Amino acid sequence: MKNIYNSLIAICIVTIFVSCNDELTKEPIGLLTLDQIDTTPTITTLESSVSSSYQLLASTLNLIGEWNWDGGAVLRNDFILQDIAANDMNKKWNPDGDQAWMDELSAFSFTPDNGAFNGIWLYDYEGINRINLAISYLTNPEVTQEVGIADARKNQLLGEAYFLRAFYYFDLVNNFGDVPLLTVPLKSFEEAFDVAVRVPSTEIWIQINSDLTEAKTLLPNVKYPDPSEPWRASKGAVIALQAKAALFNEDWTSVISLVNELDALGFYSLNANYFDSFDVTKEFVDNEVIFAYDHVSDQNPRKGNGLCALIGWGFIAPNEDFINAFEPNDPRLLYTVDVANQNVSKLLGNTVGDYKGNDDAPSNKIYIRYADVLLWKAEALNETGDYPGAIAIINQVRTRARTTPTADGSMVPIGTLADRPSSTDSAQIKGWLMSERRVELGFESQRFNDLKRWGTAKSVLTGLGKNFQDKNYLYPIPQGEVDKSGGTITQNPDY
């Protein structure tokens, strides 16, 4: 049995092609190491191996390393790669030279040495390696029999693990295209070098879909598999990610089918109030959030939302073009960002600036919510010629927005966000959908991926004066990974 558990060392092997030891000054929080467990595992060991795999989705500060700004590792940096790159977000309210590498993302003047790419690569592969360790335990009958874990609990944890691996690979393939594919723990440095090679993105998509198929068979038909820990991935989250994967591959009929399957669960609907999905007082009691990272204050190790600290330091501001994208009196603008008070309400979790500057704030990071899913279906319906169905969903989202009271409690003026009229012009409907996604999902780290998959990133961003080039539809592989691999990990074209 001892050799099975020696594979714990594999969680550290990832540093060979994910991050150099000299980039880190401490072990990642939550890391299981050989001196932290006995040679004989317990149920707690198995549960911890899965729970620790969620941590790389957090916005908690310094999960990996210690104030490693240049390496992009101070916190998970989706907001840089998505919101700043897409010209929705500025680095700061008052431009300055602090963290100039973020400005390089905004201007598309970056090189492969930019820390943003190293940071997301590091976070995603650290998550994958933790997950692979968990899966190796949970699929080993010798281990599960010895610890005496119930089948229902084992299946739940294994379903979560497959979902998380798919989630991390979804992020990697959309950022970088071809990437190394790891599905088992690594047991030696030699083995790590052997797998330090990119595989075609088609293989990554196959793995994503395979993992999600497995996860769906394992997770129960309930909204929260563990009501005491409602933050855990659910069958609804799995189906939603299946639909998103189909969307990104333009498999329109599957998108429609999967969203219908999600609806059949009966767990999700639009909240009556737009801000309820983000309100810290309504976490896990709203109807809309499907998957989120559960930030909690006053935990050891820390589990709070470090983005709120950055907001207090003047980071995370709206671009003028983003503000102008909102129709007059759309209450979603103020719920996203309070320009007058320089508060990013959607990320702070309230509308009065509480938690601003708090590096341990409780506001959750939302990754999938039902309004996003509905707009996937609207897009698929439009692409398959069901124009009335697509328009009806767009209007459903707009209706919820205009019937949401403003932040001061008053109702929006009559005529705000009028319904889109009937149309059989697919291009016009898609334009409505693109506009709706931008304002509905602003600052939720969706925009740049949308522009890329629509094929409009170059026209939109060059039109705004950005130096976007065709090569930028994929980010560069972190140059450090290319160098450390001795060239077995190749660079994306033209970088």
Side-chain angles (χ1 to χ4, degrees), residues 32 138 193 301 315 317 320 324 362 382 392 411 417 426 460 491:
L32 292 173
L138 292 164
F193 280 114
F315 286 87
E320 191 68 26
N324 292 337
N382 184 52
M411 298 305 295
L417 296 170
S426 179
V460 169
Q491 186 55 269

Side-chain angles (χ1 to χ4, degrees), residues 167-367:
F167 194 99
Y168 287 121
Y169 271 120
F170 182 95
D171 191 54
L172 285 164
V173 75
N174 282 298
N175 278 318
F176 302 109
D178 303 346
V179 293
L181 179 60
L182 289 75
T183 58
V184 296
L186 307 178
K187 298 181 176 63
S188 69
F189 283 86
E190 291 76 13
E191 185 178 352
F193 280 114
D194 288 342
V195 299
V197 60
R198 299 170 72 187
V199 305
S201 59
T202 53
E203 293 186 30
I204 304 300
W205 283 113
I206 289 170
Q207 186 64 51
I208 289 168
N209 288 320
S210 174
D211 281 347
L212 293 173
T213 298
E214 287 289 332
K216 189 159 67 174
T217 66
L218 293 165
L219 287 166
N221 289 317
V222 294
K223 186 173 184 179
Y224 300 124
D226 185 343
S228 67
E229 296 179 317
W231 48 268
R232 291 184 173 276
S234 64
K235 178 168 283 191
V238 171
I239 296 170
L241 190 54
Q242 284 184 308
K244 192 172 186 179
L247 179 85
F248 275 59
N249 285 279
E250 298 185 350
D251 182 357
W252 308 118
T253 57
S254 290
V255 173
I256 297 166
S257 175
L258 286 161
V259 176
N260 289 342
E261 183 180 351
L262 183 72
D263 285 338
L265 295 176
F267 302 145
Y268 310 106
S269 61
L270 293 181
N271 293 322
N273 186 307
Y274 175 75
F275 197 70
D276 283 358
S277 293
F278 312 100
D279 190 332
V280 293
T281 68
K282 298 180 180 179
E283 291 172 349
F284 304 114
V285 296
D286 78 300
N287 299 314
E288 190 165 337
V289 175
I290 298 172
F291 182 63
Y293 183 82
D294 182 31
H295 289 122
V296 183
S297 300
D298 302 320
Q299 300 292 297
N300 186 20
R302 281 195 154 197
K303 199 180 175 184
N305 186 351
L307 277 175
C308 297
L310 271 66
I311 294 170
W313 303 336
F315 286 87
I316 307 180
N319 185 283
E320 191 68 26
D321 186 67
F322 173 72
I323 294 173
N324 292 337
F326 288 82
E327 296 169 53
N329 300 312
D330 187 339
R332 291 175 293 189
L333 174 57
L334 188 58
Y335 282 124
T336 301
V337 58
D338 179 350
V339 175
N341 295 300
Q342 297 189 358
N343 292 330
V344 185
S345 301
K346 186 180 279 189
L347 301 182
L348 292 171
N350 63 73
T351 59
V352 293
D354 288 348
Y355 310 115
K356 185 176 181 178
N358 185 340
D359 65 357
D360 194 34
S363 51
N364 286 351
K365 166 61 179 177
I366 296 172
Y367 283 101

Side-chain angles (χ1 to χ4, degrees), residues 69 90-93 98-99 102 310-311 313-317:
W69 284 109
N90 292 328
K91 179 188 70 178
K92 283 190 170 184
W93 291 89
D98 189 16
Q99 310 307 328
M102 296 187 190
L310 271 66
I311 294 170
W313 303 336
F315 286 87
I316 307 180

